[in-house]
Amino acid sequence: MTPASLAIHAPSGRPRLALGAVGAAAILTGAHVANDALTSMLSGLLPLLQARHGLTDTTLALLVAALALSASATQPLLGAVSDRFGARRVAAIGTTFGISMLSLLAIAPNAGVLFLLLLLGGLGSAAFHPAAASLLAGSPLRRRELGVGLFSAGGTVGLALGPLLVLAAAATLGLGRVPLLIPAAVVLGGVIYLLVPSGAPRPRPERAPILDRALFRGRVGALAAAATLASVAFVAFTAAYPLFLVRERGVDPSDPLIGLTLAAFNVGAAGGAVLAGLVANRLDERVLVGGTLAGSLLPLFMLLLIPPAGLPYIVAAAAAGALLNGNLPILLVAAQRMAPGSAAAASGMLMGLPVGVAGVAYVLVGRLQEAAGIGPATAVAFLAVLPAALVAVAALEGRAGRRAEEAHPPRARPTPRCCGPAQPVR
């Protein structure tokens, strides 16, 4: 570690050892891997939990829904709490609390405790995500899109690893050892709090509400709507496409091809986020976001038409993930730029809220599957990327507008005594 990467910061009046921007980004990315691995652990545990507690399929679905809503839909609110009380503090507490609660799932005595742990653990995860993204936004990284892309990729890697690791632990060590992750969670939270710089303070209007409703009405809200539409296609691939393979292509439900397809899609999604961060400064963000979203239709529809075998099939699955997820770092950094005083809340609106809303909207896709068939319903869900591209392009600015906004960021205005809180977000 070089002296340039290690510094003493005292944002609260007392000295604190803090890493530089690259080291801090690496810690937050590693924490993202751990956080999302624990969150996705539930999918691997479901058969074991059903056998242990005698749970019905409906109860299992409710467990999944409880975690999804707790970990995703609450991110804008918890991001706003992070903006108010400090992103570094909230990220550290969220990491420790979320991982600790979720690691107790393996020893929960009954379904009631399972629900409680999922709700609490999901809240910890929801607190971590926007706070960590806000810390990246406030860091002096030269290429913020690349940093956010790596952070996003870390989450995707964690989602892929979680079920594999928990099943390996169950087979070798026993589920009773999973709670041993709690001390590691405490250490990880401490590392975030002690070593990650808190970043420069952001302007906030005097007496502002915790969650600024203007975020939902302005351009940040439009970007969140675009991300939600893109998430409908993303959720449709991960949930409906395996059913399509079984019902329309005759693939056996236990065929490893299903897992290989999802793995290729997730690996592509991680790579797409990193690649988008690498080229973000070279392309107009409207071209990059609109092009990736609209371009994802080609591999998505190829997967509905070509035989599920061979290299072209795997390449199409990876390309679909890359193009669908490649726009996320760009949209996230753009939202943070548009809301300089509410970066964590804006991050939650782009990272968590779209997933939660898309998960609820997928119920409509399920009804369409029953009425029209799995193939047509999946194709309709994939088409959501087109309005997503249009909405995103309309909300984003071109390169010239972006440079002007970065050079002269909007400042929060003081609140007049006679009026309500200022609205700094356009």
Side-chain angles (χ1 to χ4, degrees), residues 50 60 78 98 152 169 183 191 204 276 358 384 403 408 412:
Q50 184 174 40
L60 293 181
L78 291 171
S152 174
V191 167
R204 286 190 60 84
R403 289 174 177 172
H408 304 285

Side-chain angles (χ1 to χ4, degrees), residues 15 22 24 29 40 50 57 91 94 139 154 210 225 230 255 270 304 307 309 315 317 325 329 338 359-360 372 413 421:
V22 175
T29 299
S40 67
Q50 184 174 40
D57 288 350
S139 72
I210 288 184
D255 195 315
L304 296 175
V315 170
N325 201 51
M338 294 171 185
V360 174
R413 298 186 297 274

